[in-house]
Amino acid sequence: MEHGKIVRIRFRMHNAPVIAGTRIPTSAVYSHRTGSTTTEIIEDYPRLTEADVLQAIAWEETRRNERAAS
């Protein structure tokens, strides 16, 4: 399994960005970041590593900042 990698696979999860090797959307991890620690997020999504969580949050922040700028 690749840790900390974000992928988009056509026809899977409506082409939403997910953490590689899972069907967990980056947006789901991002929404948990408020009020939750990385450890708590991993408890909710036990297949994830700390690298997965941090990468998903960073990816979503970048994506949302780019949308806001345009």
Coordinates of all heavy atoms in Angstrom, one line a residue:
M1 N 0.8 -1.2 0.0 CA 0.0 0.0 0.0 C 0.9 1.2 0.0 O 1.9 1.3 0.7 CB -0.9 0.0 1.2 CG -1.8 1.2 1.3 SD -2.8 1.0 2.8 CE -4.1 2.2 2.3
E2 N 0.5 2.2 -0.7 CA 1.2 3.5 -0.8 C 0.6 4.4 0.3 O -0.6 4.6 0.3 CB 1.1 4.1 -2.2 CG 1.7 3.2 -3.2 CD 1.4 3.9 -4.6 OE1 2.0 4.9 -4.8 OE2 0.6 3.3 -5.4
H3 N 1.5 4.9 1.1 CA 1.0 5.8 2.2 C 1.2 7.3 1.8 O 2.2 7.6 1.2 CB 1.8 5.5 3.5 CG 1.5 4.2 4.0 ND1 0.3 3.8 4.5 CD2 2.3 3.1 4.0 CE1 0.4 2.5 4.8 NE2 1.6 2.1 4.6
G4 N 0.2 8.1 2.1 CA 0.3 9.5 1.8 C 0.1 9.9 0.4 O 0.4 11.0 0.0
K5 N -0.4 9.0 -0.4 CA -0.6 9.3 -1.8 C -2.1 9.5 -2.1 O -3.0 8.7 -1.7 CB -0.1 8.1 -2.7 CG -0.2 8.4 -4.2 CD 0.4 7.4 -5.0 CE 0.3 7.8 -6.5 NZ 0.8 6.7 -7.3
I6 N -2.4 10.5 -2.9 CA -3.8 10.8 -3.2 C -4.0 10.4 -4.7 O -3.2 10.7 -5.5 CB -4.1 12.3 -3.1 CG1 -3.7 12.8 -1.7 CG2 -5.5 12.7 -3.4 CD1 -4.4 12.1 -0.5
V7 N -5.1 9.7 -5.0 CA -5.4 9.3 -6.3 C -6.8 9.6 -6.7 O -7.7 9.7 -5.8 CB -5.1 7.8 -6.5 CG1 -3.6 7.4 -6.3 CG2 -6.0 6.9 -5.6
R8 N -7.1 9.6 -8.0 CA -8.4 9.7 -8.5 C -8.6 8.6 -9.5 O -7.8 8.5 -10.4 CB -8.7 11.1 -9.2 CG -8.6 12.2 -8.2 CD -8.8 13.5 -8.9 NE -10.2 13.9 -8.7 CZ -10.6 15.1 -9.0 NH1 -9.8 16.0 -9.5 NH2 -11.9 15.4 -8.8
I9 N -9.6 7.8 -9.3 CA -9.8 6.7 -10.2 C -11.2 6.8 -10.9 O -12.2 6.9 -10.2 CB -9.7 5.3 -9.5 CG1 -8.3 5.2 -8.8 CG2 -9.9 4.1 -10.4 CD1 -8.1 4.0 -7.9
R10 N -11.1 6.9 -12.2 CA -12.4 7.1 -12.9 C -13.4 6.0 -12.5 O -13.1 4.9 -12.4 CB -12.1 7.0 -14.4 CG -13.2 7.5 -15.2 CD -12.7 7.5 -16.7 NE -13.8 8.1 -17.5 CZ -13.8 8.2 -18.7 NH1 -12.8 7.7 -19.4 NH2 -14.8 8.7 -19.4
F11 N -14.6 6.5 -12.3 CA -15.8 5.7 -11.9 C -15.7 5.1 -10.5 O -16.5 4.2 -10.2 CB -16.0 4.5 -12.9 CG -16.2 5.0 -14.3 CD1 -15.3 4.6 -15.3 CD2 -17.2 5.9 -14.7 CE1 -15.5 5.0 -16.6 CE2 -17.3 6.4 -16.0 CZ -16.5 5.9 -17.0
R12 N -14.8 5.5 -9.7 CA -14.7 5.0 -8.3 C -15.0 6.3 -7.4 O -14.3 7.3 -7.6 CB -13.4 4.4 -8.0 CG -13.4 3.8 -6.5 CD -12.2 3.1 -6.2 NE -12.0 1.9 -7.0 CZ -10.9 1.2 -7.1 NH1 -9.9 1.6 -6.4 NH2 -10.9 0.2 -7.8
M13 N -15.9 6.2 -6.5 CA -16.2 7.2 -5.6 C -16.5 8.5 -6.4 O -16.1 9.6 -5.9 CB -15.1 7.5 -4.6 CG -14.8 6.3 -3.7 SD -16.2 5.7 -2.7 CE -16.4 7.1 -1.7
H14 N -17.2 8.4 -7.5 CA -17.5 9.6 -8.4 C -16.3 10.4 -8.7 O -16.4 11.6 -8.8 CB -18.6 10.4 -7.7 CG -19.8 9.7 -7.3 ND1 -20.8 9.3 -8.2 CD2 -20.2 9.1 -6.1 CE1 -21.7 8.6 -7.6 NE2 -21.4 8.5 -6.4
N15 N -15.2 9.7 -8.9 CA -13.9 10.4 -9.3 C -13.4 11.4 -8.3 O -12.6 12.2 -8.6 CB -14.1 11.1 -10.7 CG -12.7 11.3 -11.4 OD1 -11.8 10.5 -11.2 ND2 -12.6 12.4 -12.1
A16 N -13.9 11.2 -7.1 CA -13.4 12.0 -6.0 C -11.9 11.6 -5.6 O -11.6 10.4 -5.7 CB -14.3 11.9 -4.7
P17 N -11.1 12.6 -5.2 CA -9.8 12.2 -4.7 C -9.9 11.3 -3.4 O -10.6 11.7 -2.5 CB -9.1 13.5 -4.5 CG -10.2 14.5 -4.4 CD -11.4 14.0 -5.1
V18 N -9.2 10.2 -3.4 CA -9.2 9.3 -2.3 C -7.7 9.0 -1.9 O -6.8 9.2 -2.7 CB -9.9 8.0 -2.6 CG1 -11.4 8.3 -2.9 CG2 -9.2 7.2 -3.7
I19 N -7.6 8.4 -0.7 CA -6.2 8.0 -0.3 C -6.0 6.7 -1.0 O -6.8 5.8 -1.0 CB -6.2 7.9 1.2 CG1 -6.4 9.3 1.8 CG2 -4.9 7.3 1.7 CD1 -6.8 9.3 3.3
A20 N -4.8 6.5 -1.6 CA -4.4 5.3 -2.4 C -4.7 4.1 -1.5 O -4.4 4.0 -0.4 CB -3.0 5.4 -2.8
G21 N -5.3 3.1 -2.2 CA -5.5 1.8 -1.6 C -6.8 1.8 -0.7 O -7.0 0.8 -0.1
T22 N -7.5 2.9 -0.7 CA -8.7 2.9 0.1 C -9.8 3.6 -0.8 O -9.6 4.0 -1.9 CB -8.6 3.8 1.4 OG1 -8.5 5.2 1.0 CG2 -7.3 3.4 2.1
R23 N -11.0 3.6 -0.2 CA -12.1 4.4 -0.8 C -12.4 5.6 0.1 O -13.6 6.0 0.1 CB -13.3 3.5 -1.0 CG -13.1 2.5 -2.1 CD -14.3 1.6 -2.3 NE -14.1 0.7 -3.4 CZ -14.9 0.7 -4.5 NH1 -15.9 1.5 -4.6 NH2 -14.6 -0.2 -5.4
I24 N -11.5 6.0 0.9 CA -11.7 7.1 1.8 C -11.4 8.4 1.1 O -10.2 8.7 0.8 CB -10.8 6.9 3.1 CG1 -11.2 5.6 3.7 CG2 -11.0 8.1 4.0 CD1 -10.2 5.2 4.8
P25 N -12.4 9.2 0.9 CA -12.2 10.5 0.2 C -11.3 11.5 1.1 O -11.5 11.5 2.3 CB -13.6 11.1 0.0 CG -14.5 10.0 0.3 CD -13.8 9.0 1.2
T26 N -10.5 12.3 0.4 CA -9.8 13.3 1.2 C -10.7 14.3 1.9 O -10.4 14.7 3.0 CB -8.8 14.0 0.2 OG1 -9.6 14.6 -0.8 CG2 -7.7 13.1 -0.3
S27 N -11.8 14.5 1.3 CA -12.8 15.5 1.9 C -13.3 14.9 3.3 O -13.6 15.7 4.2 CB -13.9 15.8 1.0 OG -14.6 14.6 0.6
A28 N -13.4 13.6 3.4 CA -13.9 13.0 4.7 C -12.9 13.2 5.7 O -13.2 13.6 6.9 CB -14.2 11.6 4.5
V29 N -11.6 13.0 5.4 CA -10.5 13.2 6.4 C -10.4 14.7 6.7 O -10.3 15.1 7.9 CB -9.2 12.7 5.8 CG1 -8.0 13.0 6.8 CG2 -9.3 11.2 5.5
Y30 N -10.5 15.6 5.7 CA -10.4 17.0 5.9 C -11.5 17.5 6.9 O -11.3 18.3 7.8 CB -10.5 17.7 4.6 CG -10.3 19.2 4.7 CD1 -9.0 19.7 4.8 CD2 -11.4 20.1 4.6 CE1 -8.8 21.1 4.9 CE2 -11.2 21.5 4.7 CZ -9.9 22.0 4.8 OH -9.7 23.3 4.9
S31 N -12.7 17.0 6.7 CA -13.8 17.4 7.6 C -13.7 17.0 9.0 O -14.2 17.6 9.9 CB -15.2 16.9 7.0 OG -15.3 15.5 7.1
H32 N -12.9 15.9 9.3 CA -12.6 15.5 10.6 C -11.6 16.3 11.3 O -11.4 16.2 12.5 CB -12.2 14.0 10.6 CG -13.3 13.0 10.7 ND1 -14.1 12.8 9.7 CD2 -13.7 12.2 11.7 CE1 -15.0 11.9 10.0 NE2 -14.8 11.5 11.3
R33 N -10.8 17.0 10.6 CA -9.6 17.7 11.1 C -10.0 18.7 12.2 O -9.2 19.0 13.1 CB -8.8 18.4 10.1 CG -9.2 19.7 9.7 CD -8.7 20.3 8.4 NE -9.1 21.6 8.2 CZ -10.3 22.2 8.2 NH1 -11.3 21.5 8.5 NH2 -10.5 23.4 7.9
T34 N -11.1 19.4 12.1 CA -11.6 20.3 13.0 C -12.0 19.6 14.3 O -13.0 18.9 14.3 CB -12.7 21.2 12.5 OG1 -12.3 21.8 11.2 CG2 -13.1 22.3 13.4
G35 N -11.4 19.9 15.4 CA -11.7 19.3 16.6 C -11.2 17.9 16.8 O -11.5 17.2 17.9
S36 N -10.5 17.3 15.9 CA -9.9 15.9 16.0 C -8.4 16.0 15.8 O -7.9 16.7 15.0 CB -10.6 15.0 15.0 OG -11.9 14.9 15.2
T37 N -7.8 15.1 16.6 CA -6.3 15.0 16.4 C -6.1 13.9 15.3 O -7.0 13.2 14.9 CB -5.6 14.5 17.7 OG1 -6.1 13.2 18.0 CG2 -5.9 15.5 18.8
T38 N -4.9 13.8 14.8 CA -4.5 12.8 13.8 C -4.8 11.4 14.4 O -5.3 10.6 13.7 CB -3.0 13.0 13.5 OG1 -2.8 14.3 13.0 CG2 -2.6 11.9 12.4
T39 N -4.5 11.2 15.6 CA -4.8 9.9 16.3 C -6.3 9.6 16.3 O -6.7 8.5 16.0 CB -4.2 9.9 17.7 OG1 -2.8 10.2 17.7 CG2 -4.4 8.6 18.4
E40 N -7.1 10.6 16.6 CA -8.6 10.4 16.6 C -9.1 10.1 15.1 O -10.0 9.2 15.0 CB -9.3 11.6 17.1 CG -9.0 11.7 18.6 CD -9.5 13.1 19.2 OE1 -9.6 14.0 18.4 OE2 -9.8 13.1 20.4
I41 N -8.5 10.7 14.2 CA -8.9 10.4 12.8 C -8.5 9.0 12.4 O -9.3 8.3 11.8 CB -8.3 11.5 11.8 CG1 -8.8 12.9 12.1 CG2 -8.5 11.0 10.3 CD1 -8.1 14.0 11.3
I42 N -7.3 8.6 12.8 CA -6.9 7.2 12.5 C -7.8 6.2 13.3 O -8.0 5.1 12.7 CB -5.4 7.0 12.9 CG1 -4.6 7.9 11.9 CG2 -5.0 5.6 12.8 CD1 -3.1 8.0 12.3
E43 N -8.3 6.6 14.4 CA -9.2 5.7 15.1 C -10.5 5.5 14.3 O -11.1 4.4 14.3 CB -9.5 6.2 16.5 CG -8.3 6.0 17.5 CD -8.6 6.7 18.8 OE1 -9.7 7.3 19.1 OE2 -7.7 6.7 19.7
D44 N -10.9 6.6 13.7 CA -12.1 6.5 12.9 C -11.9 5.8 11.6 O -12.8 5.2 11.0 CB -12.7 7.9 12.6 CG -13.3 8.6 13.8 OD1 -13.6 7.9 14.8 OD2 -13.4 9.8 13.8
Y45 N -10.7 5.9 11.0 CA -10.3 5.3 9.8 C -9.0 4.4 10.0 O -7.9 4.9 9.7 CB -10.0 6.3 8.7 CG -11.2 7.2 8.4 CD1 -11.3 8.5 8.9 CD2 -12.2 6.7 7.5 CE1 -12.4 9.3 8.6 CE2 -13.3 7.5 7.2 CZ -13.4 8.8 7.7 OH -14.5 9.6 7.4
P46 N -9.2 3.2 10.6 CA -8.0 2.5 11.0 C -7.1 2.1 9.9 O -5.9 1.7 10.1 CB -8.6 1.2 11.7 CG -10.0 1.4 11.6 CD -10.4 2.6 10.9
R47 N -7.5 2.1 8.6 CA -6.6 1.7 7.5 C -5.6 2.8 7.2 O -4.6 2.6 6.5 CB -7.4 1.4 6.3 CG -8.3 0.2 6.4 CD -8.9 -0.2 5.1 NE -7.8 -0.6 4.2 CZ -8.0 -0.7 2.9 NH1 -9.2 -0.5 2.4 NH2 -7.0 -1.0 2.1
L48 N -5.8 4.0 7.7 CA -4.9 5.1 7.4 C -3.7 5.2 8.3 O -3.8 4.8 9.5 CB -5.7 6.4 7.5 CG -6.9 6.6 6.6 CD1 -7.5 8.0 6.8 CD2 -6.6 6.3 5.2
T49 N -2.7 5.8 7.8 CA -1.5 6.1 8.6 C -1.5 7.6 8.8 O -2.2 8.3 8.3 CB -0.2 5.7 7.8 OG1 -0.1 6.5 6.7 CG2 -0.2 4.2 7.4
E50 N -0.5 8.0 9.7 CA -0.4 9.4 9.9 C 0.0 10.1 8.7 O -0.6 11.2 8.4 CB 0.7 9.7 11.0 CG 0.8 11.1 11.4 CD 1.8 11.3 12.5 OE1 2.4 10.4 13.0 OE2 2.0 12.5 12.8
A51 N 0.8 9.5 7.8 CA 1.2 10.2 6.5 C 0.0 10.3 5.7 O -0.2 11.4 5.0 CB 2.2 9.3 5.8
D52 N -0.9 9.4 5.6 CA -2.2 9.4 4.8 C -3.0 10.6 5.3 O -3.5 11.4 4.5 CB -3.0 8.2 5.0 CG -2.4 6.9 4.4 OD1 -1.6 7.1 3.4 OD2 -2.7 5.8 4.9
V53 N -3.2 10.8 6.6 CA -4.0 11.8 7.2 C -3.4 13.2 6.8 O -4.1 14.1 6.4 CB -4.2 11.6 8.7 CG1 -4.9 12.8 9.3 CG2 -5.0 10.3 9.0
L54 N -2.2 13.3 7.1 CA -1.5 14.6 6.8 C -1.5 15.0 5.4 O -1.8 16.2 5.0 CB -0.1 14.6 7.4 CG 0.1 14.4 8.9 CD1 1.5 14.3 9.3 CD2 -0.6 15.5 9.6
Q55 N -1.3 14.0 4.5 CA -1.3 14.3 3.1 C -2.8 14.7 2.6 O -2.9 15.6 1.8 CB -0.8 13.1 2.3 CG -0.8 13.4 0.8 CD 0.2 14.5 0.4 OE1 1.2 14.7 1.1 NE2 -0.1 15.2 -0.7
A56 N -3.8 14.0 3.1 CA -5.2 14.3 2.7 C -5.5 15.7 3.1 O -6.2 16.4 2.3 CB -6.1 13.3 3.3
I57 N -5.2 16.1 4.3 CA -5.5 17.4 4.8 C -4.7 18.5 4.0 O -5.3 19.5 3.6 CB -5.2 17.6 6.3 CG1 -6.1 16.7 7.1 CG2 -5.2 19.0 6.8 CD1 -5.8 16.5 8.6
A58 N -3.5 18.3 3.7 CA -2.7 19.2 2.9 C -3.2 19.3 1.5 O -3.4 20.4 1.0 CB -1.2 18.8 2.9
W59 N -3.6 18.2 0.9 CA -4.2 18.2 -0.4 C -5.5 19.0 -0.5 O -5.7 19.8 -1.4 CB -4.4 16.8 -0.9 CG -4.5 16.6 -2.4 CD1 -3.6 16.4 -3.3 CD2 -5.8 16.7 -3.1 NE1 -4.1 16.4 -4.5 CE2 -5.5 16.6 -4.5 CE3 -7.1 16.9 -2.7 CZ2 -6.4 16.6 -5.4 CZ3 -8.0 17.0 -3.7 CH2 -7.7 16.8 -5.1
E60 N -6.3 18.8 0.5 CA -7.6 19.5 0.5 C -7.4 21.0 0.7 O -8.1 21.8 0.1 CB -8.6 18.9 1.6 CG -9.3 17.7 1.2 CD -10.3 17.9 0.1 OE1 -11.0 19.0 0.0 OE2 -10.5 17.0 -0.8
E61 N -6.5 21.3 1.6 CA -6.2 22.8 1.8 C -5.7 23.4 0.6 O -6.2 24.5 0.2 CB -5.2 22.9 3.0 CG -5.8 22.7 4.3 CD -4.8 22.8 5.5 OE1 -3.6 22.8 5.2 OE2 -5.3 22.8 6.6
T62 N -4.8 22.8 -0.1 CA -4.3 23.3 -1.4 C -5.4 23.5 -2.4 O -5.6 24.5 -3.1 CB -3.2 22.4 -2.0 OG1 -2.2 22.4 -1.0 CG2 -2.7 22.9 -3.3
R63 N -6.3 22.4 -2.5 CA -7.4 22.5 -3.5 C -8.4 23.6 -3.2 O -8.8 24.3 -4.1 CB -8.1 21.1 -3.5 CG -9.1 20.9 -4.6 CD -9.6 19.5 -4.6 NE -10.8 19.5 -3.7 CZ -11.8 18.6 -4.0 NH1 -11.7 17.7 -4.9 NH2 -12.9 18.6 -3.2
R64 N -8.7 23.7 -1.9 CA -9.7 24.7 -1.5 C -9.1 26.1 -1.7 O -9.8 27.1 -2.1 CB -10.1 24.5 -0.1 CG -11.0 23.2 0.0 CD -11.2 22.7 1.4 NE -11.8 21.4 1.4 CZ -13.0 21.2 1.8 NH1 -13.8 22.1 2.2 NH2 -13.5 19.9 1.7
N65 N -7.8 26.3 -1.4 CA -7.2 27.6 -1.6 C -7.1 28.0 -3.1 O -7.3 29.2 -3.4 CB -5.8 27.6 -1.0 CG -5.8 27.7 0.5 OD1 -6.8 28.0 1.1 ND2 -4.7 27.2 1.1
E66 N -6.8 27.0 -3.9 CA -6.8 27.3 -5.4 C -8.2 27.7 -5.9 O -8.3 28.6 -6.7 CB -6.3 26.1 -6.1 CG -4.8 25.9 -6.0 CD -4.4 24.6 -6.6 OE1 -5.2 23.7 -7.1 OE2 -3.1 24.3 -6.6
R67 N -9.2 27.0 -5.4 CA -10.6 27.4 -5.8 C -11.0 28.8 -5.3 O -11.6 29.5 -6.0 CB -11.6 26.4 -5.2 CG -11.7 25.1 -5.9 CD -12.8 24.3 -5.4 NE -12.9 23.0 -6.1 CZ -13.7 22.1 -5.8 NH1 -14.5 22.2 -4.7 NH2 -13.7 21.0 -6.5
A68 N -10.6 29.1 -4.1 CA -10.9 30.5 -3.6 C -10.1 31.6 -4.3 O -10.7 32.7 -4.5 CB -10.5 30.5 -2.1
A69 N -9.0 31.3 -4.8 CA -8.2 32.2 -5.6 C -8.7 32.5 -7.0 O -8.4 33.5 -7.6 CB -6.7 31.8 -5.6
S70 N -9.4 31.5 -7.5 CA -9.9 31.7 -8.9 C -11.3 32.2 -9.0 O -11.9 32.7 -8.2 CB -9.8 30.4 -9.7 OG -10.4 29.3 -9.0

